[in-house]
Amino acid sequence: MAQVRPSLPTRRGILAAGGALGLGAVLAACSDDTPATGSSDKGGASSGPWTFEDDRGTTVKLDKAPQSVVAFTGVGAALHDYGVQVKGVFGPTTTKDGKPDVQAGDMDVSKVEVIGNVWGEFNVEKYAALKPDLLVSTMFDGAGTLWYVPEESKDQIAKFAPSVGISVYDVQMTKSLERMAALAEALGADMKAAKVVEAKKKFEEAAARLKAAAKARPEIKVLAGSASPDLFYVSTHNLSIDLEYYKALGVNIVEPDAKAIEESGGWFESLSWENVDKYEADVIIMDDRAQAIQPADIAEATWEKLPAVKAGQVIARSPEPILSYAKCTPLLNNLAEAIENAKKVS
């Protein structure tokens, strides 16, 4: 698929911040006896009627807890961390070499039906064959658009099962984490399990560490970037759940040009590689998604001359973090460590 034009103020334009879309393969279906949820006797799911109000204000009502859940890959990975297994996924699941995509987390991709692996791909026949009770995805806009559910087939898809949308738009990471945890509990996750309790505790400790690092090193400028063959994208802190949270904790986020941000729909500024040095930064956090060129593979001379790059002060960033406390904790700790140890090079 061709690279997304960075000027489009649409959900598709959001992907431009990561460059061209990833490629992948469709995996075999899981067996029909694979459980869709965690054990209901340990978690929040019950044998009676099931309801859940999502971030669109829509309340899903079912006769019983959903057993066949199909979700965006990152959502499936988050639910997996809480002990909830989905039956099918759509979105970046495997890379072009067949390995699990970063957004798949610890989910065993061989045990789920992959009904779409790239943007615009959603096999309705495979979806219908799973006899879905519920579809779950994230939302990157205020209009309730379900991420990676194709616009052209959304009405057909909606006929098979109700949907739940979890907002990752203009809220802080903690809010989205709370909402995903609430959904996991409703689907049967045991939120009192030692593993779950410990994960949240470690997240809170990591947040405190990042806040302390930002307070101690306010002079350290952090730039959020993403690389494509022709352009380098600099993200604003606004709208992105991770950057909004980092900013709230006191991290000195580099803000790109306001007019350029407006042209992109509020997300980023696109720069030619000749102008990649437009903004000074001490630490650069780079998009870790498969659709983006990773730092080790960037051969542009202008990139290699950046002070933060020369100082080895480049770390990964997850623009679409897996919404479990276990997966978000390393993001906070890695940024805290980078700020704590950074040399002032800007």
Side-chain angles (χ1 to χ4, degrees), residues 5-21:
R5 293 184 180 274
S7 60
L8 292 177
T10 63
R11 64 176 182 152
R12 189 170 181 176
I14 297 168
L15 280 166
L21 297 175

Side-chain angles (χ1 to χ4, degrees), residues 141-206:
D141 61 28
T145 306
L146 297 175
W147 192 231
Y148 268 82
V149 174
E151 185 72 21
E152 61 273 14
S153 56
K154 67 176 184 178
D155 292 339
Q156 183 183 7
I157 293 167
K159 294 177 181 179
F160 294 98
S163 61
V164 161
I166 300 296
S167 179
V168 289
Y169 173 76
D170 200 18
V171 294
Q172 292 182 23
M173 179 189 288
T174 45
K175 178 64 175 178
S176 298
L177 281 167
E178 289 168 1
R179 296 296 291 141
M180 188 62 71
L183 176 61
E185 183 174 22
L187 291 172
D190 181 4
M191 306 308 287
K192 295 181 181 180
K195 179 181 178 181
V196 175
V197 173
E198 182 66 14
K200 186 174 182 180
K201 178 183 177 183
K202 288 183 176 180
F203 175 85
E204 293 169 346
E205 291 172 348

Side-chain angles (χ1 to χ4, degrees), residues 86-144:
V86 301
K87 279 200 170 182
V89 294
F90 54 92
T93 308
T94 58
T95 59
K96 59 184 179 181
D97 58 3
K99 295 180 180 179
D101 188 273
V102 64
Q103 295 191 64
D106 295 330
M107 184 171 54
D108 187 343
V109 297
S110 69
K111 293 184 177 180
V112 291
E113 178 75 31
V114 181
I115 60 177
N117 195 49
V118 297
W119 184 261
E121 181 180 84
F122 192 110
N123 191 313
V124 179
E125 290 184 357
K126 285 186 176 183
Y127 178 60
L130 291 174
K131 298 179 180 180
D133 298 317
L134 187 70
L135 180 146
V136 188
S137 190
T138 49
M139 300 182 298
F140 277 90
D141 61 28

Side-chain angles (χ1 to χ4, degrees), residues 298-334:
I298 299 175
E300 301 288 343
T302 49
W303 163 261
E304 295 174 351
K305 291 180 181 178
L306 293 177
V309 175
K310 292 172 67 175
Q313 295 174 177
V314 179
I315 64 171
R317 175 203 170 203
S318 296
E320 295 183 61
I322 295 172
L323 295 174
S324 71
Y325 291 106
K327 289 297 183 295
C328 288
T329 295
L331 305 180
L332 273 61
N333 276 326
N334 290 343

Side-chain angles (χ1 to χ4, degrees), residues 11-282:
R11 64 176 182 152
R12 189 170 181 176
I14 297 168
L15 280 166
L21 297 175
L23 300 177
V26 175
L27 302 179
C30 62
S31 61
D32 291 339
D33 60 356
T34 301
T37 67
S39 175
S40 61
D41 62 344
K42 291 184 178 181
S46 66
S47 58
W50 189 88
T51 64
F52 187 83
E53 183 177 355
D54 75 356
D55 291 341
R56 299 169 296 186
T58 299
T59 299
V60 176
K61 298 181 180 180
L62 299 172
D63 293 336
K64 60 180 181 179
Q67 295 299 302
S68 182
V69 178
V70 176
F72 172 69
T73 302
V75 172
L79 293 175
H80 175 273
D81 285 353
Y82 288 112
V84 178
Q85 177 65 47
V86 301
K87 279 200 170 182
V89 294
F90 54 92
T93 308
T94 58
T95 59
K96 59 184 179 181
D97 58 3
K99 295 180 180 179
D101 188 273
V102 64
Q103 295 191 64
D106 295 330
M107 184 171 54
D108 187 343
V109 297
S110 69
K111 293 184 177 180
V112 291
E113 178 75 31
V114 181
I115 60 177
N117 195 49
V118 297
W119 184 261
E121 181 180 84
F122 192 110
N123 191 313
V124 179
E125 290 184 357
K126 285 186 176 183
Y127 178 60
L130 291 174
K131 298 179 180 180
D133 298 317
L134 187 70
L135 180 146
V136 188
S137 190
T138 49
M139 300 182 298
F140 277 90
D141 61 28
T145 306
L146 297 175
W147 192 231
Y148 268 82
V149 174
E151 185 72 21
E152 61 273 14
S153 56
K154 67 176 184 178
D155 292 339
Q156 183 183 7
I157 293 167
K159 294 177 181 179
F160 294 98
S163 61
V164 161
I166 300 296
S167 179
V168 289
Y169 173 76
D170 200 18
V171 294
Q172 292 182 23
M173 179 189 288
T174 45
K175 178 64 175 178
S176 298
L177 281 167
E178 289 168 1
R179 296 296 291 141
M180 188 62 71
L183 176 61
E185 183 174 22
L187 291 172
D190 181 4
M191 306 308 287
K192 295 181 181 180
K195 179 181 178 181
V196 175
V197 173
E198 182 66 14
K200 186 174 182 180
K201 178 183 177 183
K202 288 183 176 180
F203 175 85
E204 293 169 346
E205 291 172 348
R209 178 186 179 185
L210 179 55
K211 184 176 182 179
K215 184 177 181 180
R217 305 292 307 279
E219 76 281 7
I220 299 300
K221 299 177 182 179
V222 177
L223 182 146
S226 184
S228 73
D230 301 317
L231 296 169
F232 182 80
Y233 304 95
V234 180
S235 292
T236 173
H237 86 277
N238 194 32
L239 303 185
S240 297
I241 63 171
D242 61 330
L243 300 183
E244 283 205 9
Y245 187 48
Y246 300 160
K247 184 78 171 182
L249 291 175
V251 176
N252 186 358
I253 303 288
V254 173
E255 291 294 337
D257 179 74
K259 184 178 180 181
I261 294 172
E262 183 179 356
E263 291 175 350
S264 75
W267 292 90
F268 54 82
E269 178 180 358
S270 56
L271 301 173
S272 67
W273 282 104
E274 289 77 10
N275 295 315
V276 73
D277 60 352
K278 180 177 179 179
Y279 299 104
E280 293 185 342
D282 302 294

